[in-house]
Amino acid sequence: MILFAIMFAATTPSALTDTQQGDIACVVVLATLAEKQRLGTAPREAADVQQSGKRWAGIVGSRITAQSGQPRELVAVAMAEAAKSEFARPSDLARINTCTQQMAAELATADMMANPLPKPVKSK
């Protein structure tokens, strides 16, 4: 019985933290930018995020799902709802740049984890 209670407590979903909500906001900013880039209405100064943004959205979504215990579908709905209001806003280049830097750092970390350093060669 105690083991069941511990397992249940470990999987109980929690509310999204401010950091998680901030991550969702950045994903939405870059998803909106990617859509505007596809439509040709994005600021020219902004980095192209059409491919990297998709990958990062998956990483952030998976991380938030794991951390919060919320179902993946609920996290996706939170992202979609945030995107609806973001698309109507004018592009904020400073905010875009901040989110692009965060995305680049997290993608670099993910790449390093996916490609570990080679094992050292033992000298004879």
Side-chain angles (χ1 to χ4, degrees):
M1 181 77 144
I2 294 175
L3 181 59
F4 181 77
I6 292 172
M7 289 174 45
F8 180 76
T11 60
T12 301
S14 60
L16 298 181
T17 65
D18 290 342
T19 300
Q20 292 165 341
Q21 290 176 8
D23 288 348
I24 287 174
C26 263
V27 166
V28 166
V29 165
L30 296 184
T32 300
L33 174 62
E35 180 62 13
K36 288 180 179 179
Q37 287 173 335
R38 188 184 72 75
L39 297 172
T41 61
R44 293 183 185 172
E45 304 85 17
D48 184 358
V49 297
Q50 294 180 66
Q51 293 302 315
S52 56
K54 287 179 188 178
R55 183 171 164 231
W56 187 55
I59 290 170
V60 170
S62 294
R63 181 177 67 233
I64 291 173
T65 299
Q67 290 173 348
S68 69
Q70 297 288 347
R72 179 175 293 277
E73 296 80 12
L74 187 64
V75 174
V77 167
M79 288 181 178
E81 288 300 313
K84 288 178 185 176
S85 63
E86 182 66 31
F87 194 78
R89 293 182 188 169
S91 297
D92 178 354
L93 201 53
R95 191 168 175 211
I96 288 170
N97 289 337
T98 299
C99 292
T100 302
Q101 290 173 356
Q102 179 182 348
M103 176 186 70
E106 289 187 22
L107 288 177
T109 299
D111 287 343
M112 285 177 25
M113 293 179 79
N115 299 316
L117 296 173
K119 293 183 181 182
V121 176
K122 295 181 182 178
S123 56
K124 296 180 181 182

